[in-house]
Amino acid sequence: MASSQCCENPPILSSTCGEGTVENLGGLKTYITGSPLSHRAAILISDIFGYEAPNLRKLADKVAAAGFYVVVPDFLLWEPFSIW
C-alpha cells in the first residue's frame, strides 16, 4: 500500500529548472542534458510528479556531469499527479 507522505509535500514543478533543454524526442517532450557525443547514455523515468520535478532534473544533471547523455521523457503527457 502506498504511503500518503509522498503527496503531502509535492514539488513545485518548473519547466525552466535544470541545466539541460526540453526538446521533442520521438513525439514526447523530453528533458535532455549532457553531451550528445558521450559514449554512455541514461534514460530516467519520472515518478508521479512528471519530468518537470526539480529534483529529477537535478539528478539528471548530476548523471550528465558524470559523463552521460541523459534523457527524461514526459511519459505522463503533461498530466502529472495533482492533489487538488
Side-chain angles (χ1 to χ4, degrees):
M1 181 169 185
S3 171
S4 65
Q5 291 177 343
C6 68
C7 299
E8 290 176 0
N9 190 17
I12 297 172
L13 303 181
S14 173
S15 61
T16 59
C17 71
E19 298 176 15
T21 60
V22 175
E23 300 177 24
N24 190 333
L25 184 66
L28 295 173
K29 289 197 179 270
T30 304
Y31 179 73
I32 299 174
T33 186
S35 172
L37 302 176
S38 176
H39 294 281
R40 300 181 290 176
I43 299 174
L44 299 183
I45 309 299
S46 69
D47 59 8
I48 62 172
F49 298 114
Y51 85 117
E52 290 184 347
N55 284 345
L56 176 60
R57 289 189 176 193
K58 287 177 187 176
L59 176 63
D61 292 337
K62 284 184 179 184
V63 173
F68 286 80
Y69 181 66
V70 183
V71 296
V72 185
D74 178 21
F75 287 126
L76 299 179
L77 303 175
W78 284 87
E79 293 188 27
F81 177 78
S82 176
I83 59 171
W84 295 277

